[in-house]
Amino acid sequence: MAMKQNNFYLRWQKAAGAAKSEQRSRSIRTAAPGVAVVAAALLGWGAMTLYTASLTSQRQDIVNWCNDNSASFLASSQDAEAAAQFRSLTQYADGMTDLLDGYPDVTSSLLHQVEAAGGAAITIQFTSYNAATGELQFNANSSQVIDIPTYIRSLQSCGVFSTVSYTGYNADDDGYSIDLRCVLAAPQ
């Protein structure tokens, strides 16, 4: 008969190994959800870190672009202000030109027309002309007093002046004189 040998040590090792394996299996099953949660949290944190770094980079690119273009923006603003001022000055100059075009030129033919309105009986002495207001000042002299009112009516009806104003008569040994202030009429 053969003898059967029992190796208790070997049996104990197998039993201990199975128990260890079962214990490990239980430990892994218990720790697995926690490990999964930690892994998911680390992945989320890593994704947020990358996204934040991307946004920071984009923000820095925008800040750099603004800093690089601030000089050209300032120059552009100054150019726009200069253009607006130029337009304003151009409009002012055009308005002044239109205003000056509104007054007739004081030429020798206009002065001859003023002298001719009185005929041979009236002598004229021009004293001043204000181009801003169109006011022409002169003295009219005659040897007869009746010629003065006739001359004034002639000036009022000739169409050269919009207003004709005068002071009273002055009489002396040379005859009668009157100071006239006439505003030139705008051309029709």
Side-chain angles (χ1 to χ4, degrees):
M1 163 151 175
M3 260 205 140
K4 196 176 179 185
Q5 284 190 354
N6 279 330
N7 188 351
F8 292 112
Y9 180 70
L10 190 58
R11 278 187 186 174
W12 176 77
Q13 272 187 336
K14 282 184 185 181
K20 277 186 183 177
S21 170
E22 191 179 311
Q23 188 178 6
R24 273 191 206 145
S25 198
R26 254 188 272 145
S27 302
I28 289 174
R29 275 185 262 142
T30 339
V35 170
V37 168
V38 169
L42 285 175
L43 279 173
W45 178 79
M48 288 302 291
T49 302
L50 288 174
Y51 183 69
T52 303
S54 170
L55 289 179
T56 303
S57 173
Q58 289 176 359
R59 181 190 163 277
Q60 190 59 43
D61 290 344
I62 292 170
V63 167
N64 290 341
W65 180 83
C66 288
N67 289 337
D68 291 344
N69 292 322
S70 63
S72 59
F73 176 74
L74 180 62
S76 174
S77 297
Q78 290 172 342
D79 289 346
E81 289 172 6
Q85 187 177 18
F86 176 75
R87 280 191 298 276
S88 173
L89 289 174
T90 302
Q91 289 170 347
Y92 176 75
D94 290 344
M96 288 303 292
T97 302
D98 292 343
L99 181 64
L100 290 174
D101 288 344
Y103 290 117
D105 292 331
V106 177
T107 60
S108 59
S109 65
L110 177 74
L111 297 179
H112 288 304
Q113 188 176 357
V114 171
E115 287 176 344
I122 302 286
T123 57
I124 305 296
Q125 182 181 13
F126 294 100
T127 56
S128 70
Y129 172 66
N130 185 341
T133 61
E135 183 179 81
L136 181 64
Q137 295 181 9
F138 55 96
N139 296 329
N141 299 309
S142 176
S143 59
Q144 296 181 8
V145 73
I146 194 69
D147 293 335
I148 300 291
T150 304
Y151 178 62
I152 291 172
R153 279 193 301 277
S154 177
L155 287 177
Q156 290 170 336
S157 64
C158 74
V160 174
F161 301 109
S162 62
T163 59
V164 176
S165 60
Y166 51 91
T167 61
Y169 297 99
N170 290 325
D172 59 14
D173 293 338
D174 295 330
Y176 301 92
S177 68
I178 189 167
D179 293 328
L180 292 146
R181 291 182 169 201
C182 303
V183 176
L184 296 170
Q188 302 297 333

